[in-house]
Amino acid sequence: MSTQTLTPEVTWAQRSSSSEASKNYVFLTISAPDVSPSKVKLDLQASSLTFSGYSESKKTDYAVTLNFYADIDPSASKINHSSRVVEIKLQKKDLKEEYWPRLLKDKAKMHFLKTDFDKWVDEDEQDGAADEDLGMGMDGGAGMGGMDPSMMQGMMGGMGGAGGAGGMGGLDFSKLGGMGGPGGMDLSSMMGGMGGMGGMGGAGGEDDDDDDEMPDLEDAEDDKAEASSSSASKKIEEVE
C-alpha cells in the first residue's frame, strides 16, 4: 500500500490580556490519529509552526505549516502529545487586550483550519471564562503532560537540532519517546483500579427500579384529576 500525505485538521482558540502573559495565548490542536511521538517532528518558531508525522496504522504522512498572524514566544509555549492529537499552547509575544483577527497571516480561508468552539469564548466574555490548559490524557495515550519546551531542550542536552534562540528548531519527538507524562494517564487503568467498589452498583440498581415504577407525567395528571373528582362527589353526597 502506498503512503498518502494529508493535511491534518487544525482547530484553534485564543485568549488575550494586556497585563498577564499567562492569559495571553493561542490554543492549537492538530488531529493526527495513531501518530506516535517517535514519528513526529515539530519546528516551532516565533512566526511559524511546521508539523509532520507518520501513522503506521493508517500508512499516512501528515504535514502542515502555519504562518502566524503575529509573533509568539516559543520558549514559553507548551506541547502535549496524545494518541489522537498534538496540542500546543502558544504564548503570544505581545501583551494586548484585543484578539488576533485570525490565526494566520494569510487572509485566505484554509479548509483544514477550524475554530475550536469547545475552548473559544468571545473577547468580551473571557474574564469570566476558565483558563484552558493542555489535555490530561483523555485519549489514553502516552502524553507529554504539557511539558515546557525549555525543559525538553534541557533534558535533550547536547543532542543538537535546537536551532536558533528564536525557536525550537525542528524538535524531534523520537528523542522523547520514553517520556510518558501525566498527559498520558490511561483512564481504563484507573477504572480497573476501582474494581473493589463494585458494591456501589447495587444502590444504582435500586434507583433504576424506582425509576421504572414511576408513572408517566400524563398518567399522574389523570390520576390526580380522578382523585379530585371522587373527593368532590363524596362531599356532595355528605351535603345531601
Side-chain angles (χ1 to χ4, degrees), residues 18-200:
S18 59
S19 58
E20 298 181 65
S22 62
K23 296 183 178 181
N24 192 54
Y25 59 85
V26 171
F27 201 104
L28 285 183
T29 302
I30 301 175
S31 179
D34 301 330
V35 176
S36 68
S38 64
K39 299 293 185 181
V40 168
K41 289 186 178 181
L42 188 67
D43 183 10
L44 183 58
Q45 301 293 330
S47 61
S48 66
L49 176 152
T50 299
F51 167 86
S52 64
Y54 177 69
S55 170
E56 291 281 1
S57 62
K58 299 181 180 298
K59 304 300 181 187
T60 299
D61 281 313
Y62 294 98
V64 66
T65 295
L66 306 174
N67 293 305
F68 303 131
Y69 171 79
D71 285 353
I72 57 102
D73 182 355
S75 64
S77 300
K78 298 180 180 180
I79 302 168
N80 179 68
H81 186 186
S82 74
S83 62
R84 293 178 57 82
V85 299
V86 175
E87 296 175 314
I88 309 167
K89 191 172 184 179
L90 303 170
Q91 194 74 45
K92 294 178 181 178
K93 182 178 180 180
D94 298 325
L95 290 171
K96 289 185 178 180
E97 193 66 34
E98 298 80 15
Y99 270 4
W100 286 4
R102 57 187 180 275
L103 175 64
L104 304 181
K105 181 174 293 186
D106 192 344
K107 292 183 179 181
K109 183 176 178 60
M110 302 297 178
H111 68 89
F112 62 86
L113 183 61
K114 300 179 180 179
T115 301
D116 189 339
F117 289 107
D118 290 336
K119 296 180 175 65
W120 187 276
V121 294
D122 290 336
E123 184 177 330
D124 58 354
E125 297 177 351
Q126 60 179 325
D127 289 341
D131 288 339
E132 292 291 343
D133 209 342
L134 298 178
M136 295 301 293
M138 296 300 289
D139 297 320
M144 293 170 59
M147 184 169 290
D148 190 313
S150 61
M151 294 174 61
M152 289 188 286
Q153 289 181 2
M155 296 180 71
M156 290 171 68
M159 290 182 182
M168 291 170 61
L171 177 62
D172 189 343
F173 278 75
S174 63
K175 305 296 191 301
L176 306 170
M179 293 171 58
M185 187 175 292
D186 191 336
L187 293 183
S188 62
S189 297
M190 292 173 60
M191 297 303 292
M194 297 172 65
M197 299 175 66
M200 296 177 64

